[in-house]
Amino acid sequence: MRQDDLVSATGLARADVETVLDRAAEIAADPGSWRERHAGALLALCFFEPSTRTRMSFDAAMKRLGGDTVDMGPVESSSVKKGESLADTVQVIEGYADALVLRHPKEGAARMAAGYVDVPLINAGDGAGQHPSQTLLDLYTMREATGLDGVTVGMLGDLKYGRTVHSLAEALTEFDAEMHFVSPESLRLPESVRYDVESAGGAVREHESLGAVLPDLDVLYVTRIQRERFPDESEYRAVAGEFRIDEATLADARDDLTVMHPLPRVDEIDAAVDDTDHARYFRQAHNGVPVRMALLDLLL
Amino acid sequence: MTGDEPQLRVSKIRSGTVIDHVAAGQALNVLAILGIDGSGGESVSVGMNVPSGRIDRKDVVKVEGRELSPAEVDALSLIAPEATINIIRDYEVVHKTRVQRPTAVTGVLECPNHSCITNAGEPVDSEFDVLEEGVRCRYCETILREEIAAQIGT
Ligand SMILES: [Zn+2]
């Protein structure tokens, strides 16, 4: 990779993505041979917001490479609580580890922090901003299932606040993917993502319901619509019901449609879909480990 | 009214800066960028909605005893892309330039996104990349278009 940090999916060129995905495939094919690869290396886990699976996934990835992790612990018990700036915190933690993983509630936190440290820094989510390691595992999963060129991808649900969608849409502009964005009017793609997709030569095709576009899709990427995005319960229920995927919805889909979801899911995909050949979301979650192993291997 | 004589509207200055061809309605924002609110005692004249051949109606700002810094000129270019800057010494224009759009501006604008790290008390200046239309926060990637003037910090 050309970069020392992974802050945003916007800066990921096709060649960078392919380098990570190829390395992840090598690792997945023979995980045992990577067990000593980074023996003695330490990764600092700095999560300023609660996260279970992203934190565990990085922890597992580092340990499967023979390294270890040091964890900042919850914010409540740290010096951040006493008012220390993020800039100071990362400069201190940099002295403890060979690389940093950062999740923070403020957008742009990772970009700022990367400017203060010399060790590689990976953005594990900054507010409603970016979550590029999730994007890489999404791309890995998609490449396994359908390839990344000549595919038609639908993204469904909360496209306004869903950072995994923002990063994925921007990354897919590097490939020959036709993108469709399906969401309620109030949760459409934000202007900055629209700008990136369009200035990369892509087209933003928007729909308020899935029906018309579903039969064309190779991949359907589902995201959760959260209750707190709506002023009242009834409005939320109406919208959530309309954007829910079950077996009946998928009757109109192609047989080889791949359904993905960044998880956790609540009820936007009916559990009955899990047993169909469409479901790829658990596999997608498992792919987080080899993809993060590849990322760490390339950055360390 | 024989209001066609410009010298009646805005008097000449001895030395300082004349910012001409400012888009009509932007004069007060120009003063905001320059940090001028009258309390500093500068001698300032402002012309608003003055007829102009080049841009139909324009604003003009004249500041006695002050030459602009490059950062101030960059900031001006965002709200007054057609402006010309005349440096005056002893009533003569000694230097005349059109503003040029910079590729980025640092520390001039405040990001309108309250969740942006540049608004979180961190030791970091705001940084905006200048797009064809508008500017974009280099940290949170928010795009600002017409609302630029409202985000000028003081
Ligand atoms: Zn910002």
Side-chain angles (χ1 to χ4, degrees):
Chain A
M1 287 217 302
R2 288 178 292 115
Q3 301 158 293
D4 303 323
D5 301 300
L6 183 64
V7 167
S8 162
T10 321
L12 279 178
R14 182 183 178 112
D16 296 330
V17 172
E18 286 174 339
T19 303
V20 178
L21 304 196
D22 290 348
R23 182 66 52 93
E26 265 181 76
I27 291 170
D30 183 14
S33 67
W34 298 78
R35 225 171 343 199
E36 301 296 321
R37 177 86 169 189
H38 292 283
L42 267 181
L43 177 67
L45 304 175
C46 310
F47 282 74
F48 289 78
E49 261 186 347
S51 152
T52 313
R53 56 196 74 217
T54 302
R55 184 201 298 248
M56 282 180 75
S57 173
F58 272 109
D59 197 26
M62 192 61 187
K63 287 171 178 165
R64 286 195 185 279
L65 287 167
D68 208 342
T69 57
V70 281
D71 194 320
M72 188 182 87
V75 167
E76 294 69 39
S77 59
S78 72
S79 50
V80 176
K81 189 81 181 168
K82 298 175 193 130
E84 186 177 53
S85 70
L86 174 63
D88 281 7
T89 305
V90 294
Q91 287 178 89
V92 171
I93 292 176
E94 162 177 45
Y96 306 157
D98 303 297
L100 255 70
V101 174
L102 176 71
R103 170 169 290 186
H104 196 277
K106 297 288 180 183
E107 283 119 52
R111 187 169 301 282
M112 185 203 75
Y116 281 96
V117 299
D118 292 326
V119 300
L121 183 142
I122 298 171
N123 183 5
D126 58 336
Q130 297 268 341
H131 190 3
S133 68
Q134 174 74 40
T135 305
L136 288 166
L137 78 88
D138 291 344
L139 293 170
Y140 182 84
T141 306
M142 210 178 282
R143 188 171 83 165
E144 270 186 338
T146 62
L148 294 171
D149 291 304
V151 290
T152 303
V153 180
M155 301 189 206
L156 177 89
D158 181 351
L159 308 185
K160 183 174 184 182
Y161 300 97
R163 64 185 165 202
T164 59
V165 166
H166 304 168
S167 295
L168 183 60
E170 288 172 4
L172 279 174
T173 63
E174 291 283 316
F175 297 86
D176 175 23
E178 181 176 309
M179 290 186 267
H180 294 268
F181 300 93
V182 187
S183 72
E185 225 271 311
S186 61
L187 295 176
R188 287 166 62 187
L189 218 53
E191 189 186 14
S192 65
V193 180
R194 187 184 306 270
Y195 175 86
D196 282 326
V197 170
E198 286 172 351
S199 54
V204 175
R205 301 169 190 84
E206 295 182 298
H207 314 270
E208 285 186 33
S209 73
L210 181 61
V213 72
L214 180 64
D216 299 329
L217 300 181
D218 297 300
V219 176
L220 177 61
Y221 192 97
V222 183
T223 63
R224 179 150 53 108
I225 293 177
Q226 295 182 0
R227 166 69 188 90
E228 58 265 33
R229 306 296 181 210
F230 290 86
D232 64 76
E233 184 73 23
S234 62
E235 200 181 323
Y236 163 70
R237 278 177 186 278
V239 168
E242 203 181 322
F243 290 84
R244 189 167 181 275
I245 302 299
D246 57 21
E247 280 183 298
T249 323
L250 295 178
D252 295 331
R254 292 182 15 195
D255 289 343
D256 60 356
L257 171 75
T258 295
V259 177
M260 295 172 61
H261 190 301
L263 303 184
R265 139 186 82 169
V266 180
D267 58 1
E268 56 276 20
I269 300 178
D270 188 88
V273 176
D274 300 0
D275 298 327
T276 69
D277 289 338
H278 298 301
R280 200 87 178 184
Y281 25 91
F282 291 114
R283 166 123 195 159
Q284 182 185 356
H286 299 165
N287 286 339
V289 176
V291 169
R292 292 186 169 111
M293 286 171 76
L295 192 54
L296 289 166
D297 183 47
L298 291 162
L299 289 174
L300 277 167
Chain B
M1 280 246 304
T2 54
D4 285 313
E5 298 136 85
Q7 66 271 28
L8 289 182
R9 285 192 201 87
V10 185
S11 60
K12 284 201 165 197
I13 59 172
R14 176 169 181 172
S15 57
T17 306
V18 175
I19 304 152
D20 199 358
H21 299 107
V22 173
Q26 294 291 341
L28 295 178
N29 291 323
V30 168
L31 294 177
I33 287 176
L34 303 182
I36 293 173
D37 61 5
S39 65
E42 302 93 338
S43 170
V44 177
S45 351
V46 175
M48 287 185 180
N49 296 310
V50 181
S52 160
R54 205 170 99 201
I55 53 175
D56 192 24
R57 294 252 163 196
K58 66 176 183 179
D59 287 1
V60 183
V61 175
K62 302 189 176 190
V63 187
E64 188 80 52
R66 166 100 173 255
E67 294 181 12
L68 305 191
S69 71
E72 288 169 330
V73 175
D74 280 354
L76 273 181
S77 73
L78 298 177
I79 59 158
E82 300 288 311
T84 44
I85 294 176
N86 303 278
I87 307 293
I88 314 289
R89 289 179 198 145
D90 273 331
Y91 301 105
E92 296 290 330
V93 176
V94 295
H95 193 62
K96 181 170 185 151
T97 46
R98 287 279 292 269
V99 298
Q100 288 190 326
R101 275 175 93 68
T103 54
V105 287
T106 301
V108 177
L109 302 172
E110 282 166 20
C111 185
N113 173 8
H114 296 295
S115 306
C116 178
I117 194 71
T118 60
N119 291 322
E122 295 289 333
V124 63
D125 278 336
S126 74
E127 263 183 84
F128 285 80
D129 289 318
V130 177
L131 311 176
E132 224 159 273
E133 281 174 72
V135 297
R136 181 182 218 180
C137 176
R138 199 171 275 182
Y139 289 92
C140 72
E141 306 186 354
T142 295
I143 293 177
L144 259 106
R145 298 209 192 269
E146 286 82 29
E147 345 66 285
I148 287 176
Q151 297 307 131
I152 292 165
T154 45

